[in-house]
Amino acid sequence: MYDIAIIGAGVTGAAIARELSRYQLKLIVLDKGNDVCAGTSKANSSIVHAGYDPEPGTLMAKLNSEGNPMFDKLCKELSVPFNRCGSFVVAFTDEQVETLKVLLERGKKNGIPGLEIVDVKKLLEKEPAASPDAKAALYAPTAGVVDPMLLTTALMENAVMNGADYKLNYKVESIDKTADGYRIHSGSGDIDAKCVINAAGVYSDIIHNMVAAPDFSITPKIGQYFLLDKSENDKIQSVLFPCPDKNGKGILVARSVHGNVILGPTSDVDQDRDDTGTTDEALGRVRQGCSKLVPTITTRNCIRNFAGMRAEPSTGDFIIREVKDAPKFIDVAGIKSPGLSAAPAIALYVVDIVRNCGIKLEAKKDFNPIVKRTVFMELSPAEQAALVKKDPRYGRIICRCERITEGEIVDEIHRPIPAVTLDAIKRRCRPGMGRCQGGFCGPKVHEILARELGCEWKDIVLDKKGSYILTGKTK
Amino acid sequence: MGCRLTVTICGDDIKVTGNTCKRGEIYGKNEVTDPRRMICSTARIEGGVHPVVPVKTDKPIPEKLKFKCMDVINALKLKSPVVAGDVVAANILDTDVNIVVTRNM
Amino acid sequence: MNFDLVVVGGGPAGMAAALEAYNNGIKSIAIVERDVEPGGILQQCIHNGFGLHVFKEELTGPEYAQRFINMTKDTEIKYFLDTIVLDIAQDKTLTVMNSKQGIFELKAKAIVLAMGCRERTRSGIGIAGDRPSGVFTAGAAQRYINIEGQMVGKKVIILGSGDIGMIMARRIVLEGGEVIAVVARSSFPKGLTRNVVQCLDHYNIPMWYSHNIVGIYGKERVEKVVVAECDKKTKAVIPGTEKEYECDTVLLSVGLIPENELSRQVGIKIDRKTSGPVVTESMETSMEGVFACGNVVHVHDLVDFVTEESRKAGKNAAKYIKGEITKNSQPNVFKVTGGLSYAVPHMFRPENLDEKFDILMRVDRVFGKCYLVITEGGKELGRYKKPFLTPGEMIKLTVPSSIFKGMAGKEIGITVEPEEEK
């Protein structure tokens, strides 16, 4: 019997798991994916928003403004790249300039530091490729970009290092109330827990409805993106937003923490909650939106298109509460933007709810908050030489585009949450994220996985469970 | 690069035009009377730097035997070391064609 | 470690350059190769068609490579295998790395860049849909099948009429797979005609010209693709012509791009048209003493041309080391027009030319009977008849260098003139 079961190993579930792993609890995280971070958390803009956008008084506003400042310490502890690069909301008309003023006021109410409306000259100083047709921009120095996949993975790793269990390919089919709490049913076995935390992303309403009367719904909305080659990053230094409309923050241009360029997203209702397909039409809209912000941007050097689902709550705000008719069942639902930015604060907020539910939280004396990860090319020459001497696999480059060594790949296969698929390796240490999109390194990463896991090449999958790459030996 | 041949068949008479050398005439005639193909593939090898080694037929074989030829190649279980040119299957399918490896391994 | 010459890349280009430099008196040569063995991409090109010019025999890729490997093994040329070049400094010091020696430096008097090329990817051409497994670039599939002995799929559709796609179509059928078709946006093949005949026609694999794959779908593995017809002129998709085809594998043969990350990093001038370094008649780049040859300069169709070009680079690298390259005159620069995509070399100094001068070019469209015309100012320097030109087949035009006499520093025009219709 577990004290707490968390449904969902996205950034929300992972952040909560890490916080709860500070306490003496039997903790398990469940996810239907073949890897952690299999849903929205791996397909988003990667932006840590400053926090002027949410309506004051909402949970979104509170948790965004609290979560944003936590990123420096968190990312340092977890060895996750984070760049507090600032952001601009760009206004092209007088009407939009008024919107900027509204956002500024909102931001002040939300306690966001450093906000100011700047003129086009100031904008172009910091972003020389931005459209000179802009009239003004709202500058938010505290906005940043992070690696959301690495963040989610590292949060989960830290939870597991500190005693949490996890199960993948675990799709929750139904949940029964029991005398001691809840029994979660799935095709891969049952889990008993005193307390359940529903961090199931686009499925959070379905999970809620398994134990209580429906009182909110999630509208899945798909967002499509371009990821551009690093050679395009001379056109963007930070993050550029258009003025927001009823659909959301709009189609942005951002420089990712690794130096790529992210364009997108669109925001269209999509009833297929697992859909991650792209369409020419939507990508065309992204192109249009982005060329308004940065006229010289081109998608000729696109290295990848992707799409992510976001969980739009019918209430318009995060739904984070113990469910009235389901004691010790906690919804953490509707975590759409600014979900990533708020994640560290959501976790603390949920810990309070857990405490108030009556779960005893006794701190572990030996909680270790540190997750180390070696990025070979970021080491000093002396460190590199020492590492290669100790383990020659760090001297062999497998991914030529991103300069990732065999040592790093082998490390990922043997970590607390092992990377066992090609995309899992890609999400954690980047082979396949570069220009050649795995064309050169793919077979090599494949070979390393088969060797380290002691299995046939045909048993290695790309990402999801049935996504085999090879059908068998040729003869 | 290459010639565009026209082959005209009139009963038993076969005429080739468009070739710029004698080889082309022979090729054109053969294509309609007795088409032959070079088969290039790989064979399993033990102890080499890779699990398969590239092989080929040392001469073109009759077109209709191409998949039987693949069966012969696929049944091979070679052992390193081999040298480019080594015959690893002789006179396959009664054709006077050998399978040779095409690199050292 | 100090060498006279360091060659980056141990494929056919690198080996030919190194050997030629050796045969021209340079004995201290190193080849740095990132794979575990030399031979480059030829090791996975197990089909034949190589060497018709250089060896007057028809060889398979590995055989062609083996000839050069054997020749290099007969010399003091030193191989650094499983080794990658991280950087090149302005003084020609290379920073390299491998698992045995870690990161170390090679000092060179001259360098030849021979890094080859890489494949254009799905996102490079923007195919919408899901991102299931089973989508490979043709070269990656080739590596899996021919080097690793692993099969990529059972029911395959191939996009792109480039050589690699056609070669892999035949390969897949021979290994027991099914190929639905080769789908090509253009109305003519981008690869060699020989491959259309020997890979597709001989194996009953259809080529659908003026078609494109507009979507790839599948929850985990490829389940189907959507193919649509394209307008022959504009190549735009014709709405309403979309058809679905069930398959489990998509191979993309949609272009090769010279691999010049290192060149760009070092600051070498790159030609926008070829995506490779701007080179002189000596195959020297904008960085003094750094030469380039093979697919890294421009994508070739025949390895024989790569060998010839690389021998030129090696010979001139040797000359450079010996102090024999002269730069007295202003170079002539080629300006291509009239359907020519590019010409390599991009510029030349007549005093460094041999008696005959090879100019390598590509057209951007198909021409029937035509002339390649070389001009200076308004004056015609040479007119060469060609029966047929197509983008998929590189043109080698050999002209007597004497036609450029007395024209130091002038811009030289090359154009295609279709033959007048009578």
Side-chain angles (χ1 to χ4, degrees):
Chain A
M1 173 105 181
Y2 286 94
D3 293 309
I4 305 182
I6 300 172
I7 302 175
V11 72
T12 310
I16 295 168
R18 190 230 189 188
E19 275 315 303
L20 288 175
S21 73
R22 291 181 194 273
Y23 305 100
Q24 293 175 35
L25 294 166
K26 256 194 107 186
L27 185 59
I28 187 167
V29 185
L30 309 165
D31 198 289
K32 69 175 174 61
N34 196 25
D35 189 15
V36 300
C37 193
T40 307
S41 300
K42 80 166 156 80
N44 54 73
S45 330
S46 79
I47 296 172
V48 179
H49 296 286
Y52 50 79
D53 189 78
E55 279 296 329
T58 60
L59 263 185
M60 281 181 180
K62 170 182 153 70
L63 297 173
N64 187 169
S65 65
E66 286 171 12
N68 174 303
M70 296 171 70
F71 269 77
D72 304 273
K73 177 159 179 263
L74 181 65
C75 291
K76 186 141 185 256
E77 286 175 340
L78 300 177
S79 304
V80 173
F82 169 60
N83 180 13
R84 204 176 277 285
C85 55
S87 70
F88 294 89
V89 181
V90 184
F92 291 91
T93 64
D94 292 327
E95 208 183 314
Q96 286 183 350
V97 174
E98 291 307 306
T99 307
L100 293 188
K101 294 183 183 154
V102 169
L103 292 176
L104 178 63
E105 275 317 298
R106 229 191 260 171
K108 287 194 176 139
K109 283 210 184 80
N110 288 337
I112 310 306
L115 292 173
E116 60 170 317
I117 295 183
V118 299
D119 61 13
V120 67
K121 198 161 137 243
K122 249 313 196 14
L123 168 67
L124 293 174
E125 256 170 52
K126 286 205 146 91
E127 293 287 355
S131 172
D133 295 339
K135 285 201 160 202
L138 174 68
Y139 177 56
T142 57
V145 285
V146 74
D147 184 329
M149 301 180 286
L150 212 42
L151 177 63
T152 305
T153 305
L155 285 164
M156 276 300 300
E157 279 183 335
N158 201 211
V160 168
M161 277 163 58
N162 284 296
D165 283 341
Y166 74 102
K167 259 186 165 47
L168 296 173
N169 292 305
Y170 191 98
K171 185 172 179 183
V172 175
E173 302 289 350
S174 63
I175 306 177
D176 291 326
K177 288 196 179 103
T178 65
D180 304 311
Y182 296 90
R183 173 162 288 178
I184 304 170
H185 300 286
S186 108
S188 12
D190 296 343
I191 302 278
D192 288 322
K194 293 184 190 144
C195 164
V196 175
I197 297 175
N198 169 19
V202 290
Y203 283 88
S204 51
D205 55 346
I206 293 174
I207 299 291
H208 167 101
N209 298 346
M210 289 180 185
V211 298
D215 66 355
F216 70 92
S217 67
I218 298 292
T219 301
K221 282 183 132 184
I222 191 167
Q224 302 189 31
Y225 296 86
F226 287 87
L227 181 71
L228 307 182
D229 188 89
K230 290 178 185 177
S231 60
E232 284 297 298
N233 68 17
D234 53 346
K235 306 207 177 112
I236 180 78
Q237 309 310 309
S238 60
V239 182
L240 292 176
F241 294 98
C243 265
D245 61 17
K246 58 173 162 50
N247 251 338
K249 298 193 179 73
I251 297 173
L252 54 92
V253 179
R255 185 191 183 111
S256 84
V257 76
H258 297 288
N260 293 99
V261 178
I262 296 179
L263 306 180
T266 47
S267 181
D268 302 305
V269 175
D270 188 339
Q271 291 305 341
D272 177 0
R273 292 172 197 243
D274 293 319
D275 187 8
T276 50
T278 57
T279 61
D280 288 319
E281 186 275 323
L283 292 175
R285 274 186 278 138
V286 173
R287 273 201 200 92
Q288 264 191 335
C290 293
S291 63
K292 194 135 201 252
L293 290 168
V294 181
T296 51
I297 206 104
T298 158
T299 55
R300 209 180 334 116
N301 290 316
C302 169
I303 58 176
R304 192 166 180 81
N305 291 114
F306 63 96
M309 213 44 110
R310 65 258 303 115
E312 180 88 42
S314 51
T315 59
D317 192 11
F318 291 159
I319 299 163
I320 311 178
R321 52 65 212 272
E322 185 186 12
V323 175
K324 207 159 50 144
D325 306 320
K328 295 197 181 63
F329 188 96
I330 303 169
D331 282 332
V332 189
I335 311 300
K336 52 160 274 197
S337 180
L340 172 64
S341 324
I346 292 175
L348 293 179
Y349 190 78
V350 169
V351 167
D352 273 341
I353 297 176
V354 167
R355 192 180 284 116
N356 293 336
C357 285
I359 304 269
K360 196 162 169 182
L361 294 182
E362 237 178 86
K364 280 182 186 146
K365 288 201 178 59
D366 57 353
F367 176 78
N368 176 10
I370 305 295
V371 172
K372 284 196 171 69
R373 205 165 222 109
T374 303
V375 180
F376 186 80
M377 285 301 155
E378 287 174 7
L379 299 176
S380 72
E383 288 170 323
Q384 288 174 336
L387 189 50
V388 175
K389 214 164 175 189
K390 195 169 109 187
D391 184 349
R393 291 173 299 191
Y394 281 96
R396 179 178 295 122
I397 293 225
I398 299 295
C399 167
R400 189 231 162 81
C401 300
E402 299 287 310
R403 302 197 164 180
I404 309 299
T405 66
E406 181 177 354
E408 291 159 88
I409 295 168
V410 170
D411 181 54
E412 293 297 346
I413 299 171
H414 299 289
R415 288 179 73 99
I417 301 189
V420 301
T421 69
L422 255 72
D423 275 3
I425 296 283
K426 179 175 76 167
R427 282 191 287 271
R428 289 160 174 67
C429 61
R430 299 182 61 77
M433 280 296 221
R435 230 158 248 151
C436 83
Q437 287 292 291
F440 170 66
C441 64
K444 290 180 188 283
V445 174
H446 201 139
E447 178 182 26
I448 296 169
L449 278 166
R451 180 189 78 207
E452 294 294 317
L453 297 172
C455 66
E456 300 279 331
W457 283 55
K458 67 173 165 59
D459 297 328
I460 301 293
V461 299
L462 180 68
D463 196 10
K464 296 187 186 139
K465 208 159 174 206
S467 61
Y468 66 94
I469 299 165
L470 302 168
T471 56
K473 294 189 180 160
T474 49
K475 44 209 77 186
Chain B
M1 194 63 41
C3 309
R4 284 166 160 67
L5 304 178
T6 307
V7 180
T8 319
I9 312 167
C10 201
D12 284 337
D13 185 37
I14 301 170
K15 194 188 289 203
V16 177
T17 51
N19 52 310
T20 55
C21 74
K22 186 82 180 165
R23 269 212 309 231
E25 195 191 329
I26 299 170
Y27 177 82
K29 286 203 168 125
N30 281 339
E31 273 304 291
V32 297
T33 55
D34 172 32
R36 292 178 169 247
R37 307 279 172 256
M38 287 290 290
I39 299 296
C40 303
S41 183
T42 50
R44 281 278 146 198
I45 185 168
E46 249 179 55
V49 67
H50 300 303
V52 292
V53 64
V55 299
K56 72 173 190 188
T57 52
D58 62 354
K59 298 195 266 300
I61 63 161
E63 201 272 337
K64 60 185 186 298
L65 291 179
K66 57 181 189 278
F67 287 108
K68 286 212 167 72
C69 173
M70 283 300 295
D71 290 338
V72 171
I73 292 172
N74 291 344
L76 293 172
K77 296 211 186 324
L78 306 176
K79 279 195 168 60
S80 174
V82 293
V83 172
D86 279 355
V87 173
V88 292
N91 188 19
I92 62 160
L93 306 167
D94 275 329
T95 56
D96 180 40
V97 173
N98 302 320
I99 306 291
V100 298
V101 295
T102 57
R103 59 163 284 178
N104 302 353
M105 193 181 280
Chain C
M1 270 174 259
N2 292 313
F3 293 91
D4 283 343
L5 176 66
V6 174
V7 177
V8 182
M15 289 194 287
L19 275 167
E20 191 68 12
Y22 187 86
N23 293 334
N24 277 270
I26 307 299
K27 302 301 170 197
S28 159
I29 302 177
I31 296 179
V32 183
E33 166 54 51
R34 70 183 175 190
D35 212 327
V36 297
E37 55 184 356
I41 208 74
L42 288 179
Q43 296 294 13
Q44 64 184 63
C45 297
I46 63 162
H47 49 280
N48 58 357
F50 303 89
L52 283 165
H53 298 248
V54 169
F55 295 110
K56 305 275 185 287
E57 288 176 66
E58 196 177 2
L59 302 174
T60 61
E63 283 169 318
Y64 194 98
Q66 192 69 67
R67 302 265 171 114
F68 281 88
I69 293 171
N70 293 347
M71 286 190 268
T72 55
K73 291 275 152 85
D74 285 338
T75 67
E76 297 104 82
I77 293 172
K78 181 161 170 61
Y79 277 102
F80 288 90
L81 297 173
D82 203 22
T83 305
I84 200 157
V85 175
L86 292 173
D87 199 8
I88 303 177
Q90 292 302 311
D91 68 353
K92 299 197 208 64
T93 300
L94 298 99
T95 307
V96 301
M97 175 164 101
N98 65 37
S99 57
K100 292 196 178 65
Q101 297 156 281
I103 300 184
F104 58 106
E105 281 181 356
L106 300 175
K107 286 199 193 307
K109 294 191 182 139
I111 295 174
V112 174
L113 301 175
M115 293 90 77
C117 60
R118 64 183 158 83
E119 299 183 275
R120 187 166 278 117
T121 65
R122 171 186 179 174
S123 300
I125 53 170
I127 305 178
D130 304 321
R131 285 167 305 292
S133 64
V135 181
F136 302 89
T137 51
Q142 190 181 54
R143 184 168 179 110
Y144 271 123
I145 296 178
N146 293 342
I147 304 272
E148 310 294 354
Q150 300 276 348
M151 194 53 178
V152 295
K154 296 194 161 81
K155 196 166 183 197
V156 184
I157 194 162
I158 300 177
L159 179 64
S161 60
D163 286 319
I164 312 176
M166 296 194 275
I167 297 273
M168 287 310 294
R170 173 177 63 184
R171 190 80 184 96
I172 284 172
V173 168
L174 282 175
E175 289 290 351
E178 183 195 333
V179 177
I180 298 171
V182 175
V183 177
R185 214 168 54 131
S186 61
S187 45
F188 55 86
K190 289 273 172 73
L192 299 169
T193 309
R194 171 179 85 200
N195 285 328
V196 180
V197 174
Q198 294 178 358
C199 299
L200 302 185
D201 296 346
H202 288 179
Y203 286 81
N204 297 316
I205 299 167
M207 174 105 87
W208 297 339
Y209 292 102
S210 300
H211 279 71
N212 202 0
I213 295 181
V214 296
I216 299 175
Y217 300 95
K219 286 235 169 297
E220 292 154 348
R221 173 85 183 192
V222 172
E223 289 165 41
K224 65 180 183 198
V225 297
V226 175
V227 177
E229 261 180 73
C230 300
D231 183 281
K232 285 182 173 49
K233 277 216 182 71
T234 66
K235 303 224 182 98
V237 169
I238 300 172
T241 62
E242 293 89 354
K243 283 203 179 94
E244 279 184 12
Y245 294 90
E246 272 181 29
C247 58
D248 59 34
T249 309
V250 182
L251 255 51
L252 302 172
S253 174
V254 292
L256 297 171
I257 306 166
E259 179 117 52
N260 280 290
E261 306 227 348
L262 188 61
S263 319
R264 284 196 168 88
Q265 186 183 312
V266 167
I268 286 171
K269 185 157 176 240
I270 304 290
D271 175 45
R272 257 196 70 232
K273 268 290 163 71
T274 57
S275 295
V278 172
V279 292
T280 67
E281 78 298 321
S282 310
M283 302 309 291
E284 191 177 16
T285 67
S286 63
M287 190 165 159
E288 203 202 277
V290 176
F291 299 77
C293 53
N295 279 346
V296 81
V297 177
H298 55 148
V299 175
H300 289 252
D301 332 296
L302 293 183
V303 75
D304 301 71
F305 284 9
V306 167
T307 298
E308 285 169 10
E309 185 177 80
S310 306
R311 283 176 172 161
K312 211 181 294 179
K315 184 168 172 198
N316 285 292
K319 268 170 120 180
Y320 172 83
I321 293 168
K322 292 186 272 184
E324 288 167 18
I325 294 208
T326 50
K327 293 186 181 169
N328 295 325
S329 61
Q330 268 281 90
N332 296 83
V333 178
F334 281 126
K335 186 177 163 84
V336 297
T337 54
L340 275 174
S341 257
Y342 70 82
V344 165
H346 305 80
M347 56 176 73
F348 62 94
R349 287 187 171 85
E351 77 248 28
N352 285 327
L353 294 177
D354 295 328
E355 215 180 284
K356 291 209 182 299
F357 180 25
D358 288 340
I359 309 169
L360 296 174
M361 296 173 270
R362 274 197 201 272
V363 285
D364 62 15
R365 64 198 90 142
V366 177
F367 288 93
K369 293 204 183 107
C370 60
Y371 295 92
L372 287 167
V373 185
I374 303 184
T375 57
E376 187 282 306
K379 190 168 141 220
E380 192 175 290
L381 305 179
R383 173 176 284 264
Y384 307 91
K385 194 168 186 176
K386 291 287 175 189
F388 176 77
L389 296 178
T390 178
E393 296 180 11
M394 187 184 282
I395 306 157
K396 181 164 75 158
L397 182 67
T398 307
V399 304
S401 324
S402 51
I403 65 172
F404 302 112
K405 202 163 175 192
M407 253 161 255
K410 299 260 192 250
E411 184 181 87
I412 307 291
I414 317 183
T415 194
V416 182
E417 261 183 37
E419 196 177 60
E420 298 276 313
E421 300 290 9
K422 298 255 184 336

